[in-house]
Amino acid sequence: MMGRIDDMAKVIQNYDLFIMPSKYEGFPLSVFEAMAAGLPLMLSDIEPLTSIVKENAIYFQLDNARKTADQIMGIQQNTIDIKEMAVKAKAHADITVRRDIYIKELLDIYNQPGTGNTN
């Protein structure tokens, strides 16, 4: 464990791959940080991650170590192109998790008819 990090954007550039072996997730901020930094993603194949990140990651099953190991070997041997995937993930993050877009989407939800908002 690295402890407190004041400049994550600088540190994250030292990594080759972001791996998240989660069983459960809500709003995975660390995934968005990795995407925004242009880091390739390897994520567990669970609904919250697949619905947010879409096809911009490599997904693995938590209960299939052999297949996951094969995926890691494919990355190491360059048979899986993680560089292009990282570029697409960064572009996806740029249009989906920007603060202004997030606020606009929240306001759109609050301003829907039937929400009780009188503004």
Side-chain angles (χ1 to χ4, degrees), residues 8 12 17-60 85-86 88-94 96-97:
M8 181 50 83
I12 205 167
L17 183 66
F18 178 89
I19 301 175
M20 179 177 270
S22 295
K23 287 185 177 183
Y24 310 100
E25 279 299 326
F27 187 80
L29 186 58
S30 59
V31 171
F32 293 117
E33 290 171 343
M35 287 172 60
L39 199 59
L41 307 172
M42 187 169 183
L43 310 172
S44 52
D45 190 11
I46 59 173
E47 172 60 29
L49 298 178
T50 59
S51 67
I52 293 169
V53 181
K54 311 286 186 207
E55 70 280 351
N56 300 302
I58 297 166
Y59 295 100
F60 63 96
M85 186 178 299
K88 289 179 181 178
K90 183 172 179 8
H92 180 68
D94 288 344
T96 58
V97 293

